[in-house]
Amino acid sequence: MQDLNAKGAWADTQPSQWAPEPAKIEISLDEGLPPGAPATAPAAASAGAPAPLRLPLGAWVREGLRATLFLPPRTGAAVPTPWQLIVLVLLGGALLVGAARFQVAGPAQFSLRGWLAPMWSGLALLWLAWWAMAPAQRLAAGAPAPEGSPTGGLAAWYVLSAWAPLVPLLVLYALLGATVHRPALWVGNTAGIVFWTAYGVLTAWVLAALVVVSARFIRSRLRTAVFAVSMAAIIGVGMWQFQDQPWELDGAALAAAQAAEEGPEPAQLTLSQPVFEAQQALWERQVQALAAQRDGVVDVYGLVFAPYAEENVFRRESTMVSTLLQERFDAHGRVIHLLNHAETADTHVWATPQNLQRAISALGARMDRDHDLLVIYMTSHGARNHELAASHGPLQVQPVTPEMLRAALDEAGIRHRVIAVSACYSGGWIGPLATDGTLIMTAADATHTSYGCGTRSELTFFGRAVFNEQLRQTHSFTEAFAKAVPLIAQREVEAGKTDGFSNPQIHVGTQIQPVLEALQARLDAGGSGGAAPAAGDTKP
């Protein structure tokens, strides 16, 4: 807190940080009067400080665009008026919002949340610039500024920094929009290299334009360096965690797109008493067939859960994961595969919340709950409230929640858990499931969709990259996840995903890490056995 009684303390620190305090000029009122004429006022009277220099609106736009090319803005000590500040900032923002509309193909609706979410970064940069340029602005009134250094204070910086990166930003938005409207152009390695090179160059241009125009106000190498690093960190966090967009498909267009992707109506389960009785007998056979745990060995048990019957991708993916656990993780005879599909009622136990709980209980009774590892893979559609969609009409199946899964695991007393959830918004499962003995991987964060769950998809992007590709090369779940994330990001761009990067998430508990390392060492040393069918995997 400044001492208001200290001479010059308040005046030296406050007004000059928005705009430099104009020098006071004394004007003699006697100048130019005939000899002997009476003066109209004392010669020493002051006419007061002159008003700050003003520029027309178009001049601010012109000088901001000059800064795009790293040329010094010729604004001098000029300060924008409040209405100029508002108009210029809103106009620049409107151009960006209009360009963002190009990133959504088809009818779209404006998302107020998506527009407001990234604005925290602008406020952070405003405060950062105020701090960085404070010393230079305090000296602006008392000493001439170097040539090409504007001295209009924070308001002038705010206007120029809003327009300096505008051109590369608009080109960047056009590039992202091209991936949506012309996705075929970006298929293949060469197209991917071209895209990411252009993306990197444009991003670097935006950052460089901001740093250069800000440096002209700051006039300190140290403070400019701090500003540049902090600005890059703020923008990076915004791109990573706040990927919401101001436009999204409207409800009707989204429903139509989903219907087009789903294709024809899938076959439905035929319910009959023989089917119900066969399910009960199948359950008993599969539980009885579970292999016992082995003394001195960290055994892997698996539970694969695919509750959405209307899309074959979940059937394919869950079968792939079930087979992978047996072949790569020495889990033959120790995997239960719960699946909803019209064609598998006689081979797979239904994926219902009740059967999920029963399967966890059965696995907990067969495994060494203090030393063995349970791997759970869940694949389906996900909702914003983090429920896992279930469908097996005409059978009524309730969705599964992370709280439901956590309760079943705790009740079974299973300590070491690897849980993978391939679904939209699945990042919301991490909080309820996180323990020291749990590793959790999700296909998306809590606010974004994942990709690859349509009828034309062979596997989801997450299941393909993490399990079908990376875990066939390593026995480390963390390594597989780390290598899969950039692949998922690239494939989402190539596929034209319009609502931002899915942003897969991972949580690794402190107590599970030694168990996973010991398992990896055993499997790397050749401790895996031959493949054998899991319970319920007699046919794909």
Side-chain angles (χ1 to χ4, degrees):
M1 178 74 70
Q2 292 287 342
D3 182 2
L4 300 184
N5 295 319
K7 184 177 180 181
W10 183 259
D12 286 346
T13 58
Q14 294 301 320
S16 62
Q17 296 181 24
W18 183 262
E21 183 178 357
K24 295 182 178 179
I25 303 175
E26 293 185 351
I27 302 176
S28 173
L29 300 181
D30 293 332
E31 187 175 352
L33 292 177
T40 56
S46 173
L53 178 65
R54 303 299 185 190
L55 293 176
L57 195 67
W60 285 106
V61 174
R62 182 189 65 239
E63 298 309 312
L65 294 177
R66 274 175 56 87
T68 302
L69 302 176
F70 310 112
L71 299 174
R74 299 164 298 187
T75 57
V79 178
T81 64
W83 76 266
Q84 284 180 328
L85 183 67
I86 294 172
V87 170
L88 289 167
V89 171
L90 288 181
L91 179 59
L95 290 173
L96 292 177
V97 170
R101 173 63 183 86
F102 184 58
Q103 298 179 35
V104 180
Q109 59 188 8
F110 182 74
S111 170
L112 182 62
R113 178 184 181 280
W115 179 59
L116 293 175
M119 286 193 176
W120 68 273
S121 60
L123 297 176
L125 287 176
L126 189 64
W127 179 88
L128 187 64
W130 173 83
W131 169 83
M133 69 177 63
Q137 294 302 305
R138 282 198 295 268
L139 298 175
E147 185 178 356
S149 296
T151 59
L154 194 61
W157 170 85
Y158 194 57
V159 168
L160 294 174
S161 66
W163 283 82
L166 193 62
V167 171
L169 276 175
L170 291 174
V171 177
L172 184 59
Y173 279 29
L175 177 66
L176 294 173
T179 65
V180 176
H181 292 271
R182 300 292 297 274
L185 294 177
W186 308 99
V187 177
N189 293 333
T190 302
I193 293 173
V194 170
F195 172 84
W196 287 112
T197 300
Y199 188 93
V201 169
L202 291 169
T203 302
W205 187 2
V206 169
L207 295 176
L210 286 171
V211 170
V212 171
V213 74
S214 300
R216 300 186 189 281
F217 284 86
I218 297 171
R219 286 189 280 159
S220 163
R221 292 183 179 180
L222 177 60
R223 290 194 171 227
T224 298
V226 173
F227 175 85
V229 172
S230 302
M231 179 192 67
I234 290 171
I235 293 176
V237 170
M239 294 173 65
W240 174 39
Q241 291 292 339
F242 298 88
Q243 301 176 10
D244 302 80
Q245 299 296 322
W247 297 97
E248 59 186 12
L249 282 173
D250 65 19
L254 181 60
Q258 291 175 340
E261 187 174 346
E262 289 171 0
E265 188 72 18
Q268 285 197 336
L269 173 70
T270 300
L271 289 181
S272 63
Q273 183 172 347
V275 170
F276 279 106
E277 292 178 352
Q279 275 284 306
Q280 296 300 314
L282 182 60
W283 169 255
E284 294 297 332
R285 290 198 305 271
Q286 293 187 359
V287 171
Q288 293 300 319
L290 282 174
Q293 61 89 21
R294 295 169 289 185
D295 294 338
V297 176
V298 176
D299 280 315
V300 175
Y301 284 79
L303 173 56
V304 183
F305 188 77
Y308 201 80
E310 297 180 12
E311 291 183 8
N312 287 324
V313 62
F314 302 122
R315 177 187 180 184
R316 286 190 293 268
E317 179 156 295
S318 60
T319 301
M320 177 272 295
V321 173
S322 177
T323 303
L324 176 79
L325 292 177
Q326 300 162 64
E327 295 176 345
R328 291 281 297 165
F329 289 88
D330 193 19
H332 47 275
R334 296 181 175 88
V335 179
I336 293 179
H337 184 185
L338 304 181
L339 172 64
N340 288 345
H341 196 278
E343 298 176 359
T344 61
D346 58 341
T347 59
H348 290 73
V349 176
W350 291 333
T352 66
Q354 293 78 10
N355 284 343
L356 176 66
Q357 184 176 11
R358 293 169 66 195
I360 292 173
S361 178
L363 290 165
R366 190 59 58 95
M367 65 190 294
D368 184 336
R369 291 172 291 184
D370 293 326
H371 298 95
D372 290 340
L373 177 70
L374 175 61
V375 178
I376 299 177
Y377 190 87
M378 312 182 82
T379 178
S380 182
H381 292 298
R384 291 182 183 271
N385 63 357
H386 309 132
E387 290 183 346
L388 199 67
S391 171
H392 201 14
L395 186 69
Q396 295 296 313
V397 184
Q398 296 300 313
V400 176
T401 65
E403 292 79 11
M404 186 185 301
L405 178 60
R406 173 66 181 271
L409 289 168
D410 289 347
E411 184 177 350
I414 300 171
R415 290 182 56 194
H416 302 134
R417 315 160 182 175
V418 170
I419 302 172
V421 185
S422 179
C424 298
Y425 313 109
S426 49
W429 286 63
I430 290 181
L433 293 174
T435 69
D436 289 340
T438 305
L439 181 150
I440 310 169
M441 299 181 290
T442 63
D445 60 25
T447 60
H448 284 88
T449 62
S450 54
Y451 215 63
C453 55
T455 55
R456 292 173 291 179
S457 301
E458 185 67 23
L459 299 170
T460 68
F461 282 20
F462 175 80
R464 172 189 171 191
V466 178
F467 281 78
N468 198 45
E469 294 176 347
Q470 298 306 316
L471 280 177
R472 296 193 185 277
Q473 304 176 38
T474 179
H475 293 107
S476 169
F477 290 98
T478 54
E479 180 184 342
F481 180 86
K483 290 183 176 180
V485 169
L487 293 176
I488 295 170
Q490 178 181 351
R491 288 165 182 171
E492 288 181 354
V493 171
E494 293 173 351
K497 190 173 187 291
T498 60
D499 63 339
F501 178 40
S502 57
N503 194 24
Q505 301 288 298
I506 189 170
H507 162 86
V508 184
T510 56
Q511 295 179 10
I512 190 88
Q513 190 63 38
V515 177
L516 297 176
E517 291 174 355
L519 174 65
Q520 181 182 357
R522 175 172 75 85
L523 297 175
D524 287 346
S528 60
D537 278 339
T538 56
K539 65 180 180 179

